[in-house]
Amino acid sequence: MQKPDGHIASYYAASANPAPRRAPLEGDMEADVCIIGGGFSGVATALSLAERGVKAVILEANRIGWGASGRNGGQVLPGWSGEGEMVKQLGSRAQAFLERTRYRGNEIIEDRMRKYAIRCDYAHGAATVALNDKQMAALEAEFESYGKSGKDSDFELIDRAHLKNHVASDIYCGGLVDRRAAHCHPLNLCLGEAAAAESLGVRIFEDAKVVSITRGARPSVSTARGKVTARIVILAGNAYHKLEQESLGGYMLPAQTFTIATENLGADRARSILPDNLGVCDANWALDYFRRSADDRILFGGLCTYSNRVITDIEGALMPRLVKIFPQLDGVRAEFAWGGAIGIPLNRVPLIGRSDENIFYVQGYSGHGVNCSHIAGEILADASEARLDGVDLFEAVRHFRIPAAELIGNPMLALGMTWFRMRDAFGV
Ligand SMILES: Cc1cc2nc3c(=O)[nH]c(=O)nc-3n(C[C@H](O)[C@H](O)[C@H](O)COP(=O)(O)OP(=O)(O)OC[C@H]3O[C@@H](n4cnc5c(N)ncnc54)[C@H](O)[C@@H]3O)c2cc1C
């Protein structure tokens, strides 16, 4: 395994495909679209633009995939966070959008993997598993609803006895398998998409932290040593930026979430844990999720500090949870442990919109961004061609703005989440 080169130390950085180290921005340049942030949101948007012949520039403060996009659980699941809230507020307009885009992110990713030969260990199949009868009843109802709408062929409802053939644990009451959902090596996906974007003319600068945005008929974006002036600016820094705070401050709170990768278990042992290579999430509000890596480790995530506290002993916090699910892993070591920041709006609906006529932003997928960031990329590419349907829809959602969020935001979020964790613990 290799040493990280500008990414944080993680299993993904240790197994990353080769990627060029791009130069920082020096001097002034012009662009059609300037994108701030080189995670999935920024890179997917740039690639959507490039495929339409629009040349974009990406300014990334660190390296491509340095943020959540290169650190996540790799679960490529359908739908959006905050769907219930969107439908509650916008009714059939949101319903139609959600139905139409449910697997759109997965489709875009799969299409790009084929088109640009991106190697990212992509594997179909994900399961939601129930920890109690109430959760199982909800999965049964969900499966029934797919049957009624004739969409059940991709799904399989599995009872307690049979689930062990898929997830070798005694703690679950059953599960719902979705064969269209998937899991992958997210950093290699992001690096592959960045290389594809570059091959179509996108310019990428790394170690290029944007320190200010100047509004105007042609807005400009400044780093320590350079400036890009563009027709449109797209802010895709997610939980890692402090730009446009007059418009965006208080609408989204950062939270830290963590992952471990066990040592290599060998093919037989890894397969005995997850025989058909599903990505798995439990049905709790504050959920645990896990999957096999292509080189026979178990990757396990499941802790989120809504106070935004960074945990120092991640292995100590996560390994006992993994062993509780799979006692057969007792004594196994975590070879890698890392964390990253996600953005959470209070109603969990992602923030996609405009802070000025020609300055767009996208952030706050609430820990569910691998697929959605790719749909957001299409929405923003449409917006840069003055097709604003998608942006209009998200701008129509009412969000709660926390006053003095820097001071009270995370304690408020942590308090709210304690309530949901208690509900998980008592199975209500
Ligand atoms: C541990 C973990 C597990 C997760 N698991 C899953 C999962 O299994 N499935 C799922 O769907 N989602 C998951 N997520 C969430 C998912 O990773 C994110 O929603 C998604 O990656 C967000 O992409 P992004 O591009 O918007 O943000 P990021 O990937 O965070 O990228 C933002 C980028 O912007 C750059 N940036 C910030 N400020 C500036 C600036 N001023 N100038 C220039 N660049 C800047 C940063 O350096 C960073 O690279 C997880 C997240 C974490 C942290």
Side-chain angles (χ1 to χ4, degrees):
M1 305 234 91
Q2 67 217 10
K3 288 218 163 71
D5 178 15
H7 291 106
I8 61 140
S10 73
Y11 163 70
Y12 298 128
S15 54
N17 294 333
R21 189 95 204 208
R22 285 106 178 169
L25 178 71
E26 304 275 356
D28 294 359
M29 68 181 288
E30 297 275 327
D32 200 23
V33 178
C34 177
I35 297 170
I36 303 166
F40 282 135
S41 297
V43 172
T45 304
L47 188 45
S48 288
L49 287 164
E51 284 173 341
R52 300 169 190 202
V54 179
K55 299 281 192 293
V57 168
I58 298 177
L59 300 175
E60 163 54 49
N62 300 283
R63 292 210 65 193
I64 289 295
W66 174 89
S69 301
R71 309 181 189 195
N72 63 62
Q75 311 255 355
V76 194
L77 305 176
W80 298 76
S81 76
E83 288 189 348
E85 181 67 21
M86 286 178 79
V87 173
K88 195 167 99 190
Q89 288 195 30
L90 306 180
S92 57
R93 183 178 168 206
Q95 189 78 53
F97 169 84
L98 294 171
E99 272 173 32
R100 186 164 47 79
T101 59
R102 188 157 181 72
Y103 288 93
R104 183 64 198 138
N106 298 56
E107 286 164 8
I108 296 169
I109 292 168
E110 289 170 27
D111 184 46
R112 287 182 177 164
M113 275 167 22
R114 275 190 297 273
K115 208 152 133 193
Y116 305 111
I118 297 173
R119 290 179 294 117
C120 63
D121 307 333
Y122 195 85
H124 277 116
T128 308
V129 288
L131 283 153
N132 54 49
D133 292 344
K134 190 173 176 223
Q135 291 180 355
M136 193 62 210
L139 294 181
E140 283 161 5
E142 187 182 338
F143 181 65
E144 217 172 281
S145 75
Y146 295 136
K148 280 187 191 139
S149 51
K151 291 180 191 151
D152 54 346
S153 59
D154 294 318
F155 296 91
E156 197 183 339
L157 189 67
I158 301 177
D159 62 17
R160 181 191 284 272
H162 290 96
L163 186 67
K164 286 189 197 147
N165 300 330
H166 306 269
V167 183
S169 171
D170 283 330
I171 74 166
Y172 301 116
C173 310
L176 181 61
V177 173
D178 176 347
R179 297 278 169 205
R180 280 183 83 182
H183 59 89
C184 73
H185 187 306
L187 179 57
N188 279 340
L189 174 60
C190 197
L191 294 174
E193 291 184 294
E198 257 173 341
S199 75
L200 299 180
V202 171
R203 302 273 318 268
I204 301 178
F205 298 92
E206 294 181 322
D207 297 312
K209 180 175 179 177
V210 171
V211 290
S212 64
I213 301 175
T214 306
R215 295 181 177 193
R218 278 182 69 79
S220 64
V221 159
S222 298
T223 67
R225 298 208 297 267
K227 185 166 96 175
V228 180
T229 304
R231 180 172 64 82
I232 283 173
V233 169
I234 296 176
L235 177 49
N238 201 25
Y240 289 101
H241 79 88
K242 288 271 173 256
L243 297 161
E244 294 291 276
Q245 286 304 287
E246 267 175 39
S247 311
L248 296 178
Y251 282 114
M252 180 185 84
L253 296 165
Q256 298 293 322
T257 175
F258 306 91
T259 304
I260 51 173
T262 66
E263 59 192 305
N264 186 316
L265 300 177
D268 290 348
R269 197 169 181 200
R271 275 165 213 184
S272 73
I273 301 283
L274 293 167
D276 58 351
N277 199 17
L278 294 174
V280 181
C281 295
D282 72 34
N284 270 348
W285 183 264
L287 77 174
D288 288 338
Y289 50 90
F290 47 88
R291 66 186 186 89
R292 240 166 60 193
S293 69
D295 66 348
D296 301 316
R297 302 162 192 276
I298 302 297
L299 268 57
F300 179 79
L303 189 61
C304 197
T305 55
Y306 294 95
S307 58
N308 205 23
R309 184 170 58 94
V310 174
I311 288 180
T312 43
D313 183 11
I314 300 169
E315 176 176 359
L318 285 183
M319 205 61 208
R321 295 166 75 125
L322 178 58
V323 171
K324 195 170 161 211
I325 300 168
F326 299 111
Q328 60 273 48
L329 291 180
D330 195 16
V332 163
R333 208 168 46 88
E335 192 175 338
F336 299 94
W338 67 95
I342 55 174
I344 309 186
L346 281 196
N347 63 10
R348 298 209 154 225
V349 180
L351 293 152
I352 302 177
R354 276 164 287 196
S355 58
D356 202 15
E357 204 181 326
N358 43 18
I359 302 176
F360 292 84
Y361 57 82
V362 53
Q363 57 188 34
Y365 304 104
S366 308
H368 183 77
V370 178
N371 72 327
C372 311
S373 51
H374 288 78
I375 314 169
E378 279 194 336
I379 290 174
L380 291 165
D382 285 348
S384 79
E385 292 174 332
R387 285 188 283 129
L388 291 159
D389 301 15
V391 168
D392 286 346
L393 179 91
F394 278 91
E395 282 189 331
V397 176
R398 280 187 313 282
H399 284 269
F400 185 68
R401 187 173 204 173
I402 304 169
E406 296 274 326
L407 291 175
I408 62 162
N410 281 104
M412 259 178 75
L413 184 65
L415 197 66
M417 285 310 297
T418 305
W419 162 248
F420 285 108
R421 281 189 171 132
M422 278 168 60
R423 289 177 55 130
D424 286 344
F426 293 111
V428 292

